[in-house]
PDB file of all heavy atoms in Angstrom:
ATOM      1  N   GLY B   1     105.370 115.203  68.068  1.00 38.00           N
ATOM      2  CA  GLY B   1     103.961 115.523  68.099  1.00 38.00           C
ATOM      3  C   GLY B   1     103.628 116.406  69.271  1.00 38.00           C
ATOM      4  O   GLY B   1     104.473 116.726  70.105  1.00 38.00           O
ATOM      5  N   GLU B   2     102.363 116.815  69.361  1.00 41.00           N
ATOM      6  CA  GLU B   2     101.949 117.664  70.464  1.00 41.00           C
ATOM      7  C   GLU B   2     101.938 116.847  71.743  1.00 41.00           C
ATOM      8  O   GLU B   2     101.738 115.643  71.738  1.00 41.00           O
ATOM      9  CB  GLU B   2     100.553 118.226  70.195  1.00 41.00           C
ATOM     10  CG  GLU B   2     100.461 119.033  68.900  1.00 41.00           C
ATOM     11  CD  GLU B   2     101.257 120.319  68.990  1.00 41.00           C
ATOM     12  OE1 GLU B   2     101.768 120.649  70.076  1.00 41.00           O
ATOM     13  OE2 GLU B   2     101.370 121.005  67.968  1.00 41.00           O
ATOM     14  N   SER B   3     102.108 117.518  72.848  1.00 51.00           N
ATOM     15  CA  SER B   3     102.130 116.783  74.109  1.00 51.00           C
ATOM     16  C   SER B   3     101.565 117.647  75.218  1.00 51.00           C
ATOM     17  O   SER B   3     101.458 118.860  75.107  1.00 51.00           O
ATOM     18  CB  SER B   3     103.558 116.361  74.466  1.00 51.00           C
ATOM     19  OG  SER B   3     104.353 117.509  74.674  1.00 51.00           O
ATOM     20  N   VAL B   4     101.190 116.986  76.263  1.00 60.00           N
ATOM     21  CA  VAL B   4     100.712 117.655  77.466  1.00 60.00           C
ATOM     22  C   VAL B   4     101.671 117.302  78.579  1.00 60.00           C
ATOM     23  O   VAL B   4     101.980 116.135  78.778  1.00 60.00           O
ATOM     24  CB  VAL B   4      99.291 117.204  77.827  1.00 60.00           C
ATOM     25  CG1 VAL B   4      98.836 117.858  79.116  1.00 60.00           C
ATOM     26  CG2 VAL B   4      98.342 117.525  76.687  1.00 60.00           C
ATOM     27  N   GLY B   5     102.168 118.261  79.299  1.00 54.00           N
ATOM     28  CA  GLY B   5     103.140 117.960  80.344  1.00 54.00           C
ATOM     29  C   GLY B   5     102.772 118.565  81.662  1.00 54.00           C
ATOM     30  O   GLY B   5     101.916 119.424  81.755  1.00 54.00           O
ATOM     31  N   LEU B   6     103.378 118.115  82.710  1.00 49.00           N
ATOM     32  CA  LEU B   6     103.120 118.588  84.058  1.00 49.00           C
ATOM     33  C   LEU B   6     104.414 119.121  84.640  1.00 49.00           C
ATOM     34  O   LEU B   6     105.503 118.627  84.358  1.00 49.00           O
ATOM     35  CB  LEU B   6     102.576 117.460  84.930  1.00 49.00           C
ATOM     36  CG  LEU B   6     101.164 117.020  84.559  1.00 49.00           C
ATOM     37  CD1 LEU B   6     100.845 115.686  85.158  1.00 49.00           C
ATOM     38  CD2 LEU B   6     100.154 118.052  84.999  1.00 49.00           C
ATOM     39  N   HIS B   7     104.302 120.176  85.481  1.00 51.00           N
ATOM     40  CA  HIS B   7     105.496 120.815  85.985  1.00 51.00           C
ATOM     41  C   HIS B   7     106.187 119.997  87.046  1.00 51.00           C
ATOM     42  O   HIS B   7     107.412 119.970  87.120  1.00 51.00           O
ATOM     43  CB  HIS B   7     105.139 122.187  86.536  1.00 51.00           C
ATOM     44  CG  HIS B   7     104.718 123.147  85.468  1.00 51.00           C
ATOM     45  ND1 HIS B   7     105.363 123.238  84.268  1.00 51.00           N
ATOM     46  CD2 HIS B   7     103.729 124.050  85.420  1.00 51.00           C
ATOM     47  CE1 HIS B   7     104.780 124.170  83.523  1.00 51.00           C
ATOM     48  NE2 HIS B   7     103.795 124.676  84.187  1.00 51.00           N
ATOM     49  N   LEU B   8     105.428 119.369  87.953  1.00 56.00           N
ATOM     50  CA  LEU B   8     106.011 118.691  89.093  1.00 56.00           C
ATOM     51  C   LEU B   8     105.542 117.248  89.139  1.00 56.00           C
ATOM     52  O   LEU B   8     104.380 116.957  89.040  1.00 56.00           O
ATOM     53  CB  LEU B   8     105.604 119.376  90.396  1.00 56.00           C
ATOM     54  CG  LEU B   8     106.149 120.777  90.642  1.00 56.00           C
ATOM     55  CD1 LEU B   8     105.502 121.372  91.892  1.00 56.00           C
ATOM     56  CD2 LEU B   8     107.653 120.758  90.787  1.00 56.00           C
ATOM     57  N   PRO B   9     106.441 116.325  89.384  1.00 85.00           N
ATOM     58  CA  PRO B   9     106.014 114.937  89.494  1.00 85.00           C
ATOM     59  C   PRO B   9     105.381 114.595  90.832  1.00 85.00           C
ATOM     60  O   PRO B   9     104.586 113.688  90.914  1.00 85.00           O
ATOM     61  CB  PRO B   9     107.312 114.169  89.300  1.00 85.00           C
ATOM     62  CG  PRO B   9     108.384 115.105  89.723  1.00 85.00           C
ATOM     63  CD  PRO B   9     107.902 116.464  89.391  1.00 85.00           C
ATOM     64  N   THR B  10     105.748 115.293  91.913  1.00 91.00           N
ATOM     65  CA  THR B  10     105.185 115.010  93.238  1.00 91.00           C
ATOM     66  C   THR B  10     104.832 116.307  93.943  1.00 91.00           C
ATOM     67  O   THR B  10     105.450 117.337  93.704  1.00 91.00           O
ATOM     68  CB  THR B  10     106.177 114.213  94.114  1.00 91.00           C
ATOM     69  OG1 THR B  10     107.353 114.996  94.307  1.00 91.00           O
ATOM     70  CG2 THR B  10     106.551 112.903  93.464  1.00 91.00           C
ATOM     71  N   LEU B  11     103.836 116.205  94.820  1.00 93.00           N
ATOM     72  CA  LEU B  11     103.402 117.347  95.601  1.00 93.00           C
ATOM     73  C   LEU B  11     102.872 116.847  96.931  1.00 93.00           C
ATOM     74  O   LEU B  11     102.046 115.939  96.968  1.00 93.00           O
ATOM     75  CB  LEU B  11     102.300 118.117  94.858  1.00 93.00           C
ATOM     76  CG  LEU B  11     101.681 119.321  95.570  1.00 93.00           C
ATOM     77  CD1 LEU B  11     102.732 120.402  95.770  1.00 93.00           C
ATOM     78  CD2 LEU B  11     100.504 119.855  94.768  1.00 93.00           C
ATOM     79  N   SER B  12     103.375 117.422  98.029  1.00 95.00           N
ATOM     80  CA  SER B  12     102.884 117.061  99.364  1.00 95.00           C
ATOM     81  C   SER B  12     102.277 118.279 100.022  1.00 95.00           C
ATOM     82  O   SER B  12     102.881 119.350 100.004  1.00 95.00           O
ATOM     83  CB  SER B  12     104.036 116.527 100.219  1.00 95.00           C
ATOM     84  OG  SER B  12     104.511 115.300  99.724  1.00 95.00           O
ATOM     85  N   VAL B  13     101.101 118.116 100.597  1.00 96.00           N
ATOM     86  CA  VAL B  13     100.453 119.216 101.309  1.00 96.00           C
ATOM     87  C   VAL B  13      99.870 118.686 102.614  1.00 96.00           C
ATOM     88  O   VAL B  13      99.609 117.486 102.753  1.00 96.00           O
ATOM     89  CB  VAL B  13      99.342 119.878 100.466  1.00 96.00           C
ATOM     90  CG1 VAL B  13      99.915 120.474  99.197  1.00 96.00           C
ATOM     91  CG2 VAL B  13      98.235 118.890 100.159  1.00 96.00           C
ATOM     92  N   GLN B  14      99.662 119.595 103.545  1.00 97.00           N
ATOM     93  CA  GLN B  14      99.069 119.225 104.814  1.00 97.00           C
ATOM     94  C   GLN B  14      97.550 119.113 104.661  1.00 97.00           C
ATOM     95  O   GLN B  14      96.930 119.902 103.914  1.00 97.00           O
ATOM     96  CB  GLN B  14      99.385 120.267 105.883  1.00 97.00           C
ATOM     97  CG  GLN B  14     100.844 120.302 106.302  1.00 97.00           C
ATOM     98  CD  GLN B  14     101.264 118.992 106.954  1.00 97.00           C
ATOM     99  OE1 GLN B  14     102.180 118.330 106.486  1.00 97.00           O
ATOM    100  NE2 GLN B  14     100.591 118.628 108.043  1.00 97.00           N
ATOM    101  N   GLU B  15      96.991 118.164 105.347  1.00 97.00           N
ATOM    102  CA  GLU B  15      95.543 118.008 105.339  1.00 97.00           C
ATOM    103  C   GLU B  15      94.873 119.323 105.730  1.00 97.00           C
ATOM    104  O   GLU B  15      95.286 119.978 106.682  1.00 97.00           O
ATOM    105  CB  GLU B  15      95.137 116.902 106.318  1.00 97.00           C
ATOM    106  CG  GLU B  15      93.648 116.619 106.345  1.00 97.00           C
ATOM    107  CD  GLU B  15      93.292 115.482 107.294  1.00 97.00           C
ATOM    108  OE1 GLU B  15      94.226 114.817 107.815  1.00 97.00           O
ATOM    109  OE2 GLU B  15      92.093 115.257 107.527  1.00 97.00           O
ATOM    110  N   GLY B  16      93.887 119.691 104.941  1.00 97.00           N
ATOM    111  CA  GLY B  16      93.179 120.936 105.197  1.00 97.00           C
ATOM    112  C   GLY B  16      93.685 122.110 104.385  1.00 97.00           C
ATOM    113  O   GLY B  16      92.956 123.102 104.200  1.00 97.00           O
ATOM    114  N   ASP B  17      94.928 121.995 103.897  1.00 97.00           N
ATOM    115  CA  ASP B  17      95.466 123.063 103.050  1.00 97.00           C
ATOM    116  C   ASP B  17      94.915 122.941 101.635  1.00 97.00           C
ATOM    117  O   ASP B  17      94.338 121.923 101.253  1.00 97.00           O
ATOM    118  CB  ASP B  17      96.997 122.991 103.011  1.00 97.00           C
ATOM    119  CG  ASP B  17      97.624 123.446 104.302  1.00 97.00           C
ATOM    120  OD1 ASP B  17      96.884 123.970 105.181  1.00 97.00           O
ATOM    121  OD2 ASP B  17      98.849 123.280 104.457  1.00 97.00           O
ATOM    122  N   ASN B  18      95.140 123.995 100.864  1.00 97.00           N
ATOM    123  CA  ASN B  18      94.778 123.968  99.452  1.00 97.00           C
ATOM    124  C   ASN B  18      95.973 123.477  98.634  1.00 97.00           C
ATOM    125  O   ASN B  18      97.127 123.688  99.019  1.00 97.00           O
ATOM    126  CB  ASN B  18      94.364 125.358  98.972  1.00 97.00           C
ATOM    127  CG  ASN B  18      93.155 125.885  99.723  1.00 97.00           C
ATOM    128  OD1 ASN B  18      92.341 125.130 100.240  1.00 97.00           O
ATOM    129  ND2 ASN B  18      93.042 127.200  99.799  1.00 97.00           N
ATOM    130  N   SER B  19      95.695 122.821  97.527  1.00 96.00           N
ATOM    131  CA  SER B  19      96.778 122.362  96.658  1.00 96.00           C
ATOM    132  C   SER B  19      96.538 122.867  95.243  1.00 96.00           C
ATOM    133  O   SER B  19      95.393 123.073  94.826  1.00 96.00           O
ATOM    134  CB  SER B  19      96.866 120.838  96.661  1.00 96.00           C
ATOM    135  OG  SER B  19      95.710 120.266  96.064  1.00 96.00           O
ATOM    136  N   ILE B  20      97.627 123.063  94.525  1.00 96.00           N
ATOM    137  CA  ILE B  20      97.546 123.496  93.131  1.00 96.00           C
ATOM    138  C   ILE B  20      98.441 122.593  92.300  1.00 96.00           C
ATOM    139  O   ILE B  20      99.632 122.463  92.581  1.00 96.00           O
ATOM    140  CB  ILE B  20      97.986 124.961  92.959  1.00 96.00           C
ATOM    141  CG1 ILE B  20      97.083 125.892  93.771  1.00 96.00           C
ATOM    142  CG2 ILE B  20      97.937 125.344  91.474  1.00 96.00           C
ATOM    143  CD1 ILE B  20      97.514 127.347  93.719  1.00 96.00           C
TER     144      ILE B  20
END
Side-chain angles (χ1 to χ4, degrees):
Chain B
E2 302 292 353
S3 64
V4 177
L6 290 163
H7 292 318
L8 293 173
T10 62
L11 177 64
S12 293
V13 298
Q14 291 296 121
E15 182 178 352
D17 287 352
N18 299 334
S19 66
I20 299 176

